[in-house]
Amino acid sequence: MSGRFITFEGIDGAGKSTHIDSVARHLRDRGADLVQTREPGGTPLAESLRELFLHRNMDGLTEALLVFAARRDHVRAVIAPALAQGRTVLCDRFTDASFAYQGGGRGMDEAVLTTLEGWVQEGREPDLTFWFDVDPAIAAARRAQAREADRLEQLDLDFFARVRGAYARRAAQAPQRIVRIDAARTIDGVADQIRAELERRGW
């Protein structure tokens, strides 16, 4: 397989992280040389910025600047080199999350986010994005059972409803890239949807 860039998106508690490992196994079985990574994070610098992002209080613009700074280091040091080597990159979140959380959730001007996206990514986009879509109330119940909430996970259902709406708008704007996954289904049901899309693409 030639290098491909696949991202996984959705509100906290949608279950996307559960399925990244299974996608990795599927693609490795098909001959892919894989890099698995996440955002914010993926490099020592970006992981340090992640800790600030998740645990320090800040406004939406500061959040966006912090995440895009982490993303720049991540793209430069990990994503771009891996793709140039023909490796496949699986990333837990990427720029769609910034438009969803800081744009939709925080109400930031999307023109600012678009400018940051251009500076940081220099035209690079994922080849495929799986959007794990689920009702915020279901996601909140899952989070409560799974872990202690971080700063963003503590926000109310209205915030996550706005985030979900922003993801829906992004998906409508890029239907060839962003594939909606019904994340309210069982784990097997979600896996079946992902597998069907990969097979449709011959991956």
Side-chain angles (χ1 to χ4, degrees):
M1 286 179 63
S2 60
R4 296 190 176 103
F5 185 18
I6 304 173
T7 58
F8 299 75
E9 296 281 358
I11 64 176
D12 297 273
K16 59 184 172 48
S17 301
T18 301
H19 295 276
I20 294 178
D21 287 343
S22 62
V23 171
R25 287 192 296 271
H26 170 86
L27 294 176
R28 285 193 179 102
D29 288 344
R30 300 290 295 270
D33 181 11
L34 281 181
V35 173
Q36 286 182 247
T37 189
R38 68 177 182 177
E39 289 210 346
T43 70
L45 173 59
E47 290 291 336
S48 296
L49 295 176
R50 177 188 179 90
E51 286 303 306
L52 294 174
F53 175 79
L54 291 179
H55 302 295
R56 297 290 186 91
N57 289 327
M58 62 190 75
D59 68 1
L61 177 57
T62 306
E63 284 181 0
L65 292 171
L66 203 62
V67 169
F68 274 104
R71 181 167 297 132
R72 176 60 183 173
D73 194 57
H74 192 206
V75 169
R76 179 194 60 80
V78 175
I79 295 172
L83 294 174
Q85 294 164 7
R87 306 177 77 187
T88 292
V89 177
L90 304 185
C91 190
D92 188 342
R93 299 199 190 283
F94 196 60
T95 302
D96 293 309
S98 296
F99 281 87
Y101 278 79
Q102 284 72 55
R106 297 296 194 195
M108 269 197 68
D109 185 347
E110 289 196 359
V112 175
L113 297 173
T114 299
T115 298
L116 292 170
E117 179 183 28
W119 287 349
V120 166
Q121 293 166 223
E122 299 176 345
R124 184 179 302 282
E125 279 195 343
D127 298 296
L128 170 63
T129 297
F130 288 114
W131 167 39
F132 290 73
D133 183 31
V134 69
D135 185 281
I138 295 174
R142 291 175 176 175
R143 292 195 305 271
Q145 294 177 349
R147 58 184 178 268
E148 185 176 346
D150 62 37
R151 182 177 66 88
L152 289 180
E153 291 174 343
Q154 294 173 12
L155 294 171
D156 60 23
L157 292 180
D158 287 343
F159 174 84
F160 284 103
R162 295 193 300 273
V163 172
R164 184 189 190 189
Y167 271 126
R169 291 191 295 275
R170 292 283 284 181
Q173 293 164 3
Q176 299 305 312
R177 174 175 69 83
I178 301 177
V179 175
R180 179 186 178 273
I181 300 296
D182 181 358
R185 296 186 185 181
T186 64
I187 290 177
D188 287 344
V190 171
D192 287 344
Q193 295 173 77
I194 296 169
R195 191 179 308 110
E197 180 61 26
L198 293 172
E199 291 175 355
R200 187 184 74 81
R201 292 174 182 248
W203 297 3

